[in-house]
Amino acid sequence: MELIVFAVTAVIAIIGAVAMVASKNAVHSALFLLLNFGAIAVLYLLLRAPFLFATQLIIYAGAIIVLFLFVVMLLGAERHEDNRDRLAWQRPVALVMAGLLLAEVAYVVVALPAQAPVTTDEGFGAPEVIAEQLFTTFLLPFQVTAFIILAAIVGVVVLHMQEKRQV
Amino acid sequence: MTWLDIVILIVKCIVLTLAATTMFAYFTLFERRLLARLQNRVGPNRAGAIPLPGGQRILGGWLQPAADAVKLFFKEDVVPVMADKWVYIMAPGFAVIPALIIWVAIPLGYWPDGAGGNLLQLAEIDVAILYLLAVTSVGVYGIAIAGWASNNKYSMLGGIRATAQVISYELALGLAVLGVVMQAQSFRTDTIVDAQTTLWYIVPQFLGFVIFLVASTAEVVRAPFDLVEAEQELVGGYNTEYGSMKFALFFMSEYIKLIAMNAIAVTLFLGGWKVPGLQTLADAVTASFGANIGNAVFGLTSLGAFLLKVTVLSFVSVWVRATLPRVRYDQLMDLGWKVLLPLALINVALTAIVNVILPDNIWISGIVLFVLGLATLIGATILSRPKYTSSQVTMVKNNARS
């Protein structure tokens, strides 16, 4: 049962990822990316991590792609797709790096000795457990991340204020 | 999980979907009749009337939703030539699916199935509140891509407005819900309902309730925040190019989302299906008729109480629509970012401080929070008063007189 769900979801995720890169239209790309993120959220659910499932949906599907769509729609970027790619050197580099990543994954799967699956109890992904870990063991990384995000917010406000002063 | 369990689950899902769509159908009738009364009209009162011997007719209008559905089914289904065909066809589905799946995590009542489960809540999940927020935030895609795919400037403007509005009010909505989560110390909807046995959360979370009501109205793009489909400026907004059942699906998703938001507000702030004396009644029935009938009475009574509370909030929604004019776009953004978001943050801080200082007595901490919340609301109202009185404002300069 779980295997069937996993197989279907994985295929959908891969189709979404490939179609996102391949499609010419920016809005179609954003929608395929949404499909991919949704499939990954379901994979989190299969891994018994409901909290990650919800945050994946709220943050990636619910906020980031909506912002992508908003910007693309507002600027009409999907119509002025420039055929002369100004960043042409990026394409071969990206292909090479993707090949390297794939080779690494293949090496890990094929060459390394198989390990027994990590077994934990069902509740290890519960929100209470995550919160406890986050606010005790991993408090410093958590606070550092919070400060980085705060700095980004302040930066946005400052940039906006400078723009206003010049006008 | 056997195949039989899966079949039972699918049947439950279909029943829930049908219930939600039926609620939508009768909510439209409720709204049309109520709006008509509020505007001193009569409203749809013909379809399905039953004639009585004395020339009287009763129950007029109860078949109106069916008549509307038949009318929409028989309309021609058109796809505009310049539309992006696949996205255009997908958009109504994107709109209606989140509106339907949001219902699985809401406890509609409590009908014990004998094995510790609840027949009136489809999914009892650990992260129910986060699930509700996630599905709400995904709901904007239908509107956004419908506006884009129609290839029409009015639709496009509607889609862009919808995106900006939903992103802005999602924050305030999430933070208002966070107050309840802190109070109940759980993301589970059933635990949150259980925690409201003695005191509904509308008392300690009064500020949160007000923020939730305003933000949820904006989140489902309903009057007075319906800039997305402002008829006077945008023809019909994002659904201008849609007809027949595709339009009906948008209409349906909007109303089902509104009812779902009211149901969430009831669950979080008005005690869910809890009603005083419910347990006593169920115990009495169980004593005289047996456990099965006792459970059934408990389930149906709690479902009735839940629906009654949802109806009260739905009445408020219609009332607000009939009373308030549409806000301006800059006012909408100001309200979301400069008023509701700071108020929601204040609410979270107040909830944390009061629950740490006065953790033991639910009544004392509840009343202290209520007073603090009310004071914050009054303070915000005083601070955000208009700077000029109406006698100091010149709306249009009158050049002709001078």
Side-chain angles (χ1 to χ4, degrees):
Chain A
M1 183 69 205
E2 266 183 29
L3 194 66
I4 302 171
V5 178
F6 171 76
V8 172
T9 320
V11 168
I12 292 176
I14 291 172
I15 290 176
V18 171
M20 180 219 127
V21 179
S23 90
K24 290 261 182 258
N25 190 317
V27 172
H28 291 176
S29 286
L31 289 177
F32 281 121
L33 191 59
L34 173 68
L35 182 70
N36 184 13
F37 282 169
I40 287 173
V42 176
L43 288 183
Y44 282 138
L45 211 53
L46 282 178
L47 290 171
R48 308 249 187 315
F51 185 76
L52 276 183
F53 158 78
T55 34
Q56 167 87 6
L57 276 187
I58 293 175
I59 295 171
Y60 285 97
I64 290 184
I65 311 256
V66 173
L67 278 177
F68 279 1
L69 266 184
F70 182 70
V71 171
V72 170
M73 280 164 61
L74 192 67
L75 302 178
E78 83 277 4
R79 276 158 218 213
H80 307 293
E81 185 87 6
D82 204 347
N83 283 332
R84 294 168 293 112
D85 209 340
R86 261 178 295 171
L87 298 169
W89 56 273
Q90 277 190 349
R91 201 161 286 186
V93 174
L95 275 178
V96 168
M97 284 166 84
L100 277 179
L101 198 64
L102 203 63
E104 194 183 339
V105 171
Y107 174 73
V108 170
V109 170
V110 176
L112 290 189
Q115 289 174 340
V118 184
T119 46
T120 37
D121 59 313
E122 292 268 311
F124 79 101
E128 294 89 358
V129 182
I130 291 178
E132 205 187 330
Q133 288 290 315
L134 212 55
F135 288 110
T136 54
T137 319
F138 301 106
L139 185 60
L140 185 65
F142 182 74
Q143 294 286 349
V144 170
T145 319
F147 268 102
I148 292 173
I149 294 174
L150 184 66
I153 296 173
V154 173
V156 168
V157 174
V158 169
L159 283 176
H160 180 70
M161 281 167 67
Q162 274 180 352
E163 233 166 58
K164 245 186 188 168
R165 214 173 292 142
Q166 283 165 1
V167 168
Chain B
M1 186 181 256
T2 61
W3 289 106
L4 191 65
D5 290 337
I6 295 174
V7 171
I8 291 174
L9 193 63
I10 290 172
V11 170
K12 277 184 179 174
C13 291
I14 293 172
V15 170
L16 189 65
T17 312
L18 288 179
T21 37
T22 313
M23 270 199 286
F24 146 71
Y26 280 91
F27 184 80
T28 56
L29 181 66
F30 174 75
E31 174 169 48
R32 286 175 70 182
R33 288 302 292 263
L34 192 57
L35 265 185
R37 295 316 301 167
L38 290 168
Q39 294 166 352
N40 214 358
R41 296 182 284 120
V42 178
N45 67 344
R46 297 297 166 95
I50 301 166
L52 287 184
Q56 289 266 325
R57 296 159 72 85
I58 55 161
L59 283 178
W62 73 277
L63 276 181
Q64 187 68 37
D68 285 340
V70 170
K71 182 194 80 174
L72 280 165
F73 259 118
F74 281 107
K75 285 195 169 179
E76 190 187 354
D77 195 10
V78 189
V79 178
V81 181
M82 295 297 281
D84 189 321
K85 194 171 170 218
W86 287 108
V87 182
Y88 178 86
I89 292 173
M90 255 168 29
F94 259 100
V96 86
I97 289 173
L100 288 174
I101 63 175
I102 200 168
W103 285 92
V104 300
I106 303 174
L108 306 175
Y110 189 75
W111 188 330
D113 63 355
N118 179 1
L119 284 178
L120 290 171
Q121 184 182 4
L122 206 52
E124 291 171 31
I125 40 180
D126 271 353
V127 288
I129 295 294
L130 292 177
Y131 171 82
L132 295 176
L133 288 176
V135 175
T136 321
S137 60
V138 171
V140 69
Y141 282 108
I143 300 179
I145 65 175
W148 176 78
S150 301
N151 207 353
N152 171 327
K153 57 187 170 191
Y154 298 118
S155 302
M156 180 80 171
L157 273 175
I160 288 176
R161 282 186 181 184
T163 320
Q165 181 174 336
V166 171
I167 292 175
S168 306
Y169 279 80
E170 220 170 72
L171 285 167
L173 192 77
L175 284 172
V177 172
L178 189 60
V180 173
V181 172
M182 289 165 75
Q183 197 88 29
Q185 304 186 350
S186 172
F187 280 126
R188 295 181 69 102
T189 39
D190 44 353
T191 316
I192 288 175
V193 172
D194 276 341
Q196 300 180 65
T197 310
T198 41
L199 185 63
W200 290 358
Y201 280 162
I202 188 173
V203 177
Q205 290 294 320
F206 181 69
L207 185 55
F209 178 67
V210 173
I211 298 167
F212 186 90
L213 269 195
V214 178
S216 66
T217 311
E219 189 82 8
V220 299
V221 294
R222 202 186 143 76
F225 303 108
D226 57 345
L227 292 104
V228 172
E229 44 195 303
E231 294 89 352
Q232 295 87 343
E233 313 152 27
L234 295 183
V235 190
Y238 65 93
N239 54 26
T240 306
E241 297 286 346
Y242 283 86
S244 185
M245 280 313 281
K246 292 207 196 77
F247 169 76
L249 283 181
F250 279 122
F251 196 63
M252 186 163 112
S253 74
E254 203 168 292
Y255 277 85
I256 295 180
K257 264 195 282 185
L258 172 70
I259 307 170
M261 275 297 175
N262 286 338
I264 295 172
V266 167
T267 307
L268 297 184
F269 297 101
L270 297 179
W273 46 266
K274 296 262 177 195
V275 65
L278 190 58
Q279 193 63 51
T280 324
L281 173 75
D283 285 345
V285 174
T286 308
S288 41
F289 296 104
N292 279 335
I293 301 202
N295 284 348
V297 166
F298 195 100
L300 290 177
T301 320
S302 57
L303 178 66
F306 183 81
L307 289 179
L308 189 68
K309 290 178 193 175
V310 173
T311 313
V312 170
L313 276 190
S314 302
F315 175 81
V316 174
S317 301
V318 178
W319 189 13
V320 164
R321 176 177 170 181
T323 309
L324 295 176
R326 186 179 299 134
V327 297
R328 239 171 33 219
Y329 197 73
D330 58 325
Q331 293 172 333
L332 176 85
M333 286 297 153
D334 277 358
L335 181 67
W337 290 102
K338 296 183 187 166
V339 180
L340 287 186
L341 188 59
L343 279 182
L345 285 171
I346 290 175
N347 183 40
V348 168
L350 285 180
T351 310
I353 293 169
V354 171
N355 278 326
V356 167
I357 294 177
L358 303 162
D360 297 325
N361 193 324
I362 191 167
W363 285 99
I364 295 177
S365 65
I367 288 167
V368 167
L369 263 177
F370 178 77
V371 171
L372 285 175
L374 201 62
T376 316
L377 264 184
I378 293 170
T381 318
I382 293 172
L383 279 179
S384 58
R385 258 184 327 189
K387 289 191 190 86
Y388 308 102
T389 60
S390 57
S391 60
Q392 289 173 292
V393 178
T394 316
M395 297 301 234
V396 178
K397 215 169 228 168
N398 193 343
N399 289 325
R401 197 163 39 184
S402 59

